Amino acid sequence: MRIFNFSAGPAVLPTAVLEQARDELLDWHGCGMSIMEMSHRGKDFTGVIEEAQADLRDLMGIPSNYKVLFLQGGATQLFAQIPMNLLAGRSADYVVTGSWSKKAYKEAQRIGSVRLAGTTESGKFTCVPAAAELQFDPQAAYAHICTNETIHGVEMFELPEVPAGVPLVADMSSHILSRPMDVSRYGLIYAGAQKNIGPAGLVIVIVREDLLGRALPSTPSVMDFSVMAEHGSMLNTPPTFGIYLAGLIFKHLKAQGGLAAVETANIAKARLVYDAIESSGGFYRNPVEQGCRSRMNVPFTLENPALDGDFLVEAAARRLAGLKGHKSVGGMRASIYNAMSLEGVTALVELMQDFAARKA
Ligand SMILES: *Cc1c(COP(=O)(O)O)cnc(C)c1O
């Protein structure tokens, strides 16, 4: 019996995909072994990675002048790897809108010269910065943003205006594939897999070709995007099982009707949770401004934090898991990624309403 898993990550995956992976685990497509046991250089696995890439390109509408890399590691590793690859002796701009972009900014300082283009920290990360609050360096090597702040529940629905020629670099770890995105507006997009894509250990990079070949000379070759691009993400052994599973997810999303259909479902799910908060008369609160509330991560607090423990106990009794908020913000957090069903969201909303009716 599967629970409703609201964990921020690693997170819920579609049951149908897990069932397919289970069915293929011992004997992948009649070849007598698991996908995990086969050479990454053989034609079977080469087919898997090529198909995964083609499906991702199709889903996201990735233009042909972008490379798609399937790398080992997580988004945190990319916080260092991006300046290694893109700074090229210049300075980069960072927009800080929550814990993750702040970490990215701090980590980049270890590699080279970076500057803060703007931050919403004084307002406790409850909005995206207005254009007037951002000052970009027109000479910046790139401008880094996090388009969905997983901990603070802040999502960018409009991109900041960066000076012409400054490529936008986006950490999309927790909302990639949740809606259509115009890839051509970015120089580089990256996302760790364990929120909307698959198992942890895989990170996807989508990079415009003209940004390759700029790595600092000290960059290790496994961390150099251009070396990885030249070798089709297989300079060394890639995270083969993660790539296989990501490929199954991409096919699953295509079968659902692609990202426009996925977005429609996500809007409906998010609306249910935010409506439950808004209609609770202050029993539940979400501090984020209306226009930038994340459709993927919904943090909320109880008016009386002494009830937090009871709420979590009742949630567990209803098989709702992973709702405890991040320690830095407290309260609760419902992560409602693509794979969270409407049924799961409905069960959460029923608990919220029922609990409030009894305890208010
Ligand atoms: C989860 C997350 C990360 C960190 O991912 P790791 O795989 O743990 O390095 C970075 N950025 C965002 C937006 C995230 O949600």
Side-chain angles (χ1 to χ4, degrees):
M1 265 297 282
R2 282 171 61 75
I3 55 165
F4 293 117
N5 179 6
F6 292 91
S7 168
V12 57
L13 291 170
T15 305
V17 166
L18 294 177
E19 284 169 345
Q20 184 180 349
R22 175 197 63 197
D23 292 346
E24 297 179 340
L25 193 64
L26 295 185
D27 178 8
W28 184 82
H29 293 203
C31 73
M33 61 179 154
S34 167
I35 197 89
M36 275 185 272
E37 300 170 292
M38 65 177 62
S39 166
H40 57 296
R41 307 273 178 213
K43 75 169 180 358
D44 285 335
F45 186 76
T46 313
V48 166
I49 192 170
E50 282 171 1
E51 216 169 300
Q53 171 163 182
D55 284 334
L56 182 64
R57 284 185 174 278
D58 202 20
L59 265 177
M60 292 185 72
I62 301 173
S64 58
N65 62 324
Y66 285 72
K67 295 284 190 206
V68 174
L69 308 177
F70 294 96
L71 305 179
Q72 303 222 25
T76 306
Q77 183 174 308
L78 269 289
F79 293 167
Q81 215 170 328
I82 283 163
M84 284 176 174
N85 277 276
L86 300 186
L87 266 184
R90 287 151 74 191
S91 166
D93 276 1
Y94 279 70
V95 178
V96 171
T97 49
S99 300
W100 287 115
S101 50
K102 190 173 176 181
K103 281 191 179 167
Y105 173 54
K106 289 241 162 90
E107 189 71 3
Q109 290 170 13
R110 303 167 65 92
I111 309 297
S113 157
V114 290
R115 66 181 274 288
L116 192 62
T119 175
T120 52
E121 188 162 17
S122 63
K124 299 199 173 147
F125 298 132
T126 51
C127 58
V128 292
E133 295 171 282
L134 293 172
Q135 276 162 351
F136 289 105
D137 169 7
Q139 303 302 320
Y142 61 90
H144 181 280
I145 57 176
C146 176
T147 45
N148 188 64
E149 289 282 359
T150 320
I151 293 173
H152 290 87
V154 176
E155 183 164 0
M156 278 185 193
F157 294 99
E158 273 168 40
L159 294 178
E161 288 294 329
V162 288
V166 175
L168 255 187
V169 170
D171 177 359
M172 289 194 184
S173 294
S174 51
H175 76 158
I176 192 166
L177 303 176
S178 68
R179 56 181 164 97
M181 309 268 188
D182 181 358
V183 175
S184 71
R185 298 197 58 190
Y186 301 86
L188 185 149
I189 290 168
Y190 65 106
Q194 71 271 26
K195 279 87 183 215
N196 250 348
I197 298 176
L202 166 69
V203 59
I204 289 179
V205 175
I206 301 165
V207 56
R208 215 173 58 210
E209 281 167 355
D210 62 284
L211 298 175
L212 295 172
R214 301 182 179 188
L216 302 173
S218 59
T219 306
S221 36
V222 288
M223 305 194 72
D224 185 327
F225 296 152
S226 27
V227 175
M228 277 304 191
E230 247 166 65
H231 290 83
S233 305
M234 295 208 279
L235 173 74
N236 64 326
T237 316
T240 53
F241 188 76
I243 293 167
Y244 154 76
L245 209 96
L248 297 186
I249 297 281
F250 302 154
K251 288 211 186 298
H252 176 77
L253 296 177
K254 284 176 80 172
Q256 291 187 303
L259 299 189
V262 170
E263 176 177 39
T264 303
N266 285 332
I267 289 173
K269 288 186 292 175
R271 186 170 296 149
L272 283 175
V273 183
Y274 286 112
D275 281 355
I277 294 168
E278 290 308 309
S279 63
S280 71
F283 189 88
Y284 304 108
R285 284 177 205 279
N286 169 287
V288 180
E289 278 179 17
Q290 293 279 352
C292 48
R293 289 180 164 180
S294 170
R295 291 180 190 153
M296 295 283 105
N297 309 98
V298 186
F300 62 94
T301 51
L302 275 60
E303 191 176 23
N304 176 5
L307 294 175
D308 283 3
D310 287 356
F311 184 87
L312 291 168
V313 167
E314 291 198 22
R318 297 179 187 217
R319 308 181 65 78
L320 310 176
L323 285 164
K324 192 171 165 48
H326 191 272
K327 58 185 184 303
S328 65
V329 290
M332 307 296 150
R333 173 173 47 172
S335 292
I336 47 175
Y337 296 119
N338 287 350
M340 172 52 66
S341 61
L342 183 60
E343 194 193 351
V345 170
T346 306
L348 170 64
V349 166
E350 279 170 10
L351 166 69
M352 289 170 74
Q353 291 170 342
D354 180 46
F355 188 84
R358 276 182 288 111
K359 307 275 183 170

